[in-house]
Amino acid sequence: MTDNRLGTAISPYLLQHADNPVDWREWGPEAFAEARERDVPVLVSVGYATCHWCHVMARESFSDPGIGELLRQDFVAVKVDREERPDVDASLMASASAFTDQLGWPLTTFLTPEGHVFFAGTYFPPSPVGQVPAFRQILAAVLDAWTDRRHEVDANASAIAAAIRQGAEADRTAPRGAVGGGGAPRLPAVGEIRAVVDQLARAEDTTYGGFGGAPKFPSAPLLEFLSDVAADGGEQASALLDRSLHAIRTTELTDADGGVFRYATRRDWSVPHYERMLYDNAGLLAVAGAEQARGIADFLRDTLRRPDGAFVAAQDSESTIDGRRVEGAWYRLPLDERGRLDPPPLDDQVLTGWNGLAIRGLAIAGARHGDDEMIALARGAADAIVAGHLTDGHVAVRSSTPRGTSTAAPTIEDVGLLAEGFLELALVTGSVHYAEVARSLVADGVAGRFDADPVLAAAGTATGEQPQTAVRSGTVALAAAAATLAALTGDQSLRAAAASLVADRAVTGTGRPLGHADALGVALALGRPSREVVVVTSDPDDPMRSAALAARRPGTTIALMNPTQARAWAAAGFELLAGRADDDGAAYVCHDRVCALPAHSADALSAQLSDASR
């Protein structure tokens, strides 16, 4: 028997381990207090509900009664869902990098009762495989070090924690992006940013498309950066983007129903790792062509969408066939045969930030491709998040499931991604409500209103959000939202805040674009003169709307609305719309909110936009 405490967890990943013979606890001060009282190390195992190798380790190791008893006697065992607690995952990943460069999930870490990592790895098999030891061997070695070489354990753990603490302190105090020891935030020059495309061209897999070898990821933030440079006139970036999207669309990485898998295990995009994440698909929506975007939107609507309109986090790689869990088998069936079997289960968490990413992608794709259903899906998700996760315009909930709301605190990912998504939706629908909520979210994000986890705070190992290759950064999204609000309101302090948020990441990204591509895209927009395009018309089919959308490029804010909506925006303090409601069927091209005479036809608007781009 076990005292496993996960039976009432909100997280679906933790619930998957509720029947383990391991005495799991949830992350929190209580677990570390027990470890101090017993003077034992803390095992923290991090994963997520649709992670195949997490499932494998659970079946092989955490379902073993002998391992469960060993962990009960000599450890405090803690389970963490990285989707629910990205702050904990980021901190442990930073510490784990001292032990291995093969980082991923499951993440297996051993901590002192003070919360400092002294050993880490990822998946450990039940028996040794090559140079990878068995999990029992790892546990024995950890206990040996803890018992017989405790001074080494404590010294190494303290050194790693000190390095993380120093890095986090440097991030907090150094002028962002400054060079030469001080000064205002320095964004890379536009030429420096565009030159990154040359690096990416050299890294392109010219045989199969995409970048690098196996495993091969869709890397939506990187593709969006190429899209930004392409819109800025970069022909090489446009060609790279088209070839990458073609490879993703026409290979096994895209399922027959339009959804995209997390990655391919082979260089030619074959043999996918079959889990399907909301963030990959949402990110690709922002850059995909009409057919590809429609397929992704269908997948979101038919598979990940809840009845209230919000989107859940992911679909599993495994399904149960003939009583056995099998990876990928359901996906390999033709669409018309899948209905006879139970589909792979869903990770039923609704994550605020990831829904913001989906709202943004659907709004961008819906406007670009003239697809009203995509915009309706974005509205549905936005309204569900407002109803369930926000209080008076502030994020109150990071994660919820049908079982309740998580106690995990919202992060900058939630605030930044949601603010950016709401602004995109507001600008294509004309609904000022979403813009007002976004303004409140940006204020929270710029003010840094986030509470550090008490365990990480006490340990001094809270790292904040780390750069990622697969998900648009909340920090970067916050910067983009702040820059858009500066264009809409005239508040230039917001543009300065945007530059401060992305400058250091963008400077790093000019040399190492993977992980920083999203920051490069926002820095490119900030490096261009601010341009605003406003179309005020009662006719939803007015061709000026399409002409305005065709002008989307870095540094340009496009607002589409009818006269009634324009009055509401002006009344809410969005100065760009002041006085725009009196001329129904007019379009304005502005630079830093100084506008040319209104255009009254698509041809006239296009001519103004063409003149302004020279």
Side-chain angles (χ1 to χ4, degrees):
M1 294 296 292
T2 178
D3 296 327
N4 193 317
R5 327 298 172 89
L6 303 184
T8 60
I10 298 299
S11 157
Y13 176 63
L14 269 56
L15 284 177
Q16 289 173 357
H17 293 266
D19 294 329
N20 291 167
V22 177
D23 187 13
W24 292 116
R25 283 113 166 105
E26 293 195 46
W27 175 273
E30 297 81 5
F32 288 86
E34 180 185 338
R36 283 192 294 274
E37 182 179 346
R38 292 172 52 198
D39 193 30
V40 296
V42 181
L43 163 68
V44 181
S45 174
V46 186
Y48 56 101
T50 60
C51 166
H52 170 66
W53 288 105
C54 301
H55 297 332
V56 173
M57 192 166 177
R59 289 192 288 265
E60 292 176 344
S61 297
F62 298 137
S63 296
D64 183 327
I67 287 178
E69 183 60 25
L70 177 60
L71 291 173
R72 171 194 291 276
Q73 290 179 356
D74 297 313
F75 296 83
V76 170
V78 174
K79 260 292 172 193
V80 172
D81 183 339
R82 68 170 293 258
E83 295 172 355
E84 183 183 31
R85 299 305 310 267
D87 51 344
V88 174
D89 179 62
S91 173
L92 296 181
M93 277 286 181
S95 296
S97 66
F99 302 94
T100 178
D101 57 1
Q102 301 296 315
L103 295 173
W105 301 276
L107 178 64
T108 305
T109 59
F110 295 90
L111 285 70
T112 68
E114 291 71 40
H116 299 156
V117 174
F118 65 89
F119 184 72
T122 54
Y123 161 77
F124 290 111
S127 301
V129 177
Q131 299 298 311
V132 181
F135 189 50
R136 283 180 179 272
Q137 292 175 304
I138 291 294
L139 294 178
V142 166
L143 284 175
D144 178 70
W146 184 261
T147 303
D148 297 334
R149 299 188 304 280
R150 181 67 173 274
H151 64 287
E152 295 179 18
V153 167
D154 290 338
N156 289 339
S158 296
I160 294 168
I164 292 174
R165 185 163 51 248
Q166 290 167 6
E169 183 64 25
D171 286 343
R172 284 193 296 270
T173 59
R176 292 184 180 273
V179 292
R186 175 196 176 275
L187 291 167
V190 167
E192 292 179 80
I193 296 170
R194 290 182 54 129
V196 171
V197 176
D198 293 332
Q199 296 181 46
L200 298 177
R202 291 191 293 272
E204 184 187 19
D205 182 340
T206 57
T207 302
Y208 297 111
F211 303 92
K216 190 168 281 184
F217 292 80
S219 302
L222 187 63
L223 298 184
E224 184 161 357
F225 167 65
L226 290 175
S227 177
D228 289 336
V229 178
D232 196 56
E235 294 182 3
Q236 184 182 34
S238 180
L240 280 171
L241 173 65
D242 288 347
R243 289 193 292 269
S244 294
L245 288 173
H246 177 79
I248 292 167
R249 185 178 70 252
T250 60
T251 60
E252 293 178 34
L253 196 72
T254 296
D255 188 42
D257 67 359
V260 178
F261 297 112
R262 183 164 170 253
Y263 65 87
T265 61
R266 296 182 180 172
R267 178 188 162 199
D268 64 357
W269 299 96
S270 64
V271 192
H273 189 61
Y274 286 97
E275 65 197 85
R276 300 197 285 185
M277 313 302 294
L278 175 59
Y279 59 73
D280 286 320
N281 287 274
L284 288 170
L285 273 171
V287 297
E291 180 182 355
Q292 189 173 21
R294 184 64 257 174
I296 292 172
D298 288 347
F299 163 65
L300 297 188
R301 179 197 64 207
D302 298 339
T303 302
L304 299 188
R305 187 173 185 263
R306 292 198 323 187
D308 66 355
F311 297 104
V312 300
Q315 186 175 33
D316 210 315
S317 60
E318 298 184 353
S319 57
T320 301
I321 299 177
D322 297 328
R324 190 167 62 93
R325 293 275 288 183
V326 182
E327 185 193 16
W330 186 84
Y331 296 105
R332 290 191 290 269
L333 292 173
L335 279 179
D336 60 0
E337 293 185 22
R338 291 181 186 179
R340 62 184 175 84
L341 298 172
D342 291 336
L346 300 175
D347 177 342
D348 64 358
Q349 284 186 99
V350 170
L351 299 168
T352 298
W354 293 13
N355 270 263
L357 193 63
I359 292 162
R360 176 177 183 263
L362 286 164
I364 290 173
R368 176 181 293 149
H369 305 306
D371 192 316
D372 291 340
E373 190 198 18
M374 292 186 194
I375 295 174
L377 289 171
R379 273 187 180 271
D383 293 344
I385 294 298
V386 168
H389 285 204
L390 302 189
T391 301
D392 298 328
H394 306 281
V395 178
V397 175
R398 168 170 173 78
S399 169
S400 68
T401 73
R403 297 170 296 281
T405 58
S406 169
T407 58
T411 68
I412 196 168
E413 176 183 88
D414 301 303
V415 171
L417 291 177
L418 192 64
E420 192 178 28
F422 273 26
L423 275 177
E424 289 287 356
L425 183 59
L427 291 169
V428 301
T429 63
S431 175
V432 71
H433 168 64
Y434 300 124
E436 290 177 304
V437 174
R439 185 168 55 190
S440 174
L441 296 173
V442 168
D444 288 346
V446 170
R449 296 179 183 137
F450 307 100
D451 295 329
D453 172 80
V455 175
L456 299 179
T461 57
T463 62
E465 186 188 48
Q466 299 298 294
Q468 300 184 57
T469 60
V471 187
R472 187 169 177 83
S473 156
T475 301
V476 170
L478 177 65
T484 299
L485 282 174
L488 293 168
T489 64
D491 182 353
Q492 290 307 293
S493 70
L494 289 170
R495 190 172 176 90
S500 181
L501 285 164
V502 299
D504 56 345
R505 293 174 182 242
V507 169
T508 302
T510 57
R512 291 186 283 128
L514 195 63
H516 301 274
D518 48 6
L520 288 169
V522 175
L524 179 61
L526 290 168
R528 289 302 190 194
S530 176
R531 181 176 72 164
E532 303 83 35
V533 182
V534 179
V535 177
V536 180
T537 176
S538 297
D539 180 3
D541 299 318
D542 192 321
M544 288 194 297
R545 293 171 62 93
S546 298
L549 290 169
R552 184 180 178 113
R553 66 160 176 75
T556 294
T557 299
I558 300 168
L560 310 175
M561 59 193 64
N562 62 41
T564 300
Q565 291 170 331
R567 290 188 189 92
W569 282 69
F574 295 97
E575 291 185 2
L576 181 63
L577 281 303
R580 307 295 177 212
D582 298 332
D583 191 353
D584 191 353
Y588 305 85
V589 178
C590 315
H591 292 85
D592 289 324
R593 296 164 312 286
V594 177
C595 303
L597 292 174
H600 293 92
S601 71
D603 288 344
L605 174 58
S606 296
Q608 286 193 10
L609 291 168
S610 178
D611 289 341
S613 65
R614 293 196 179 105

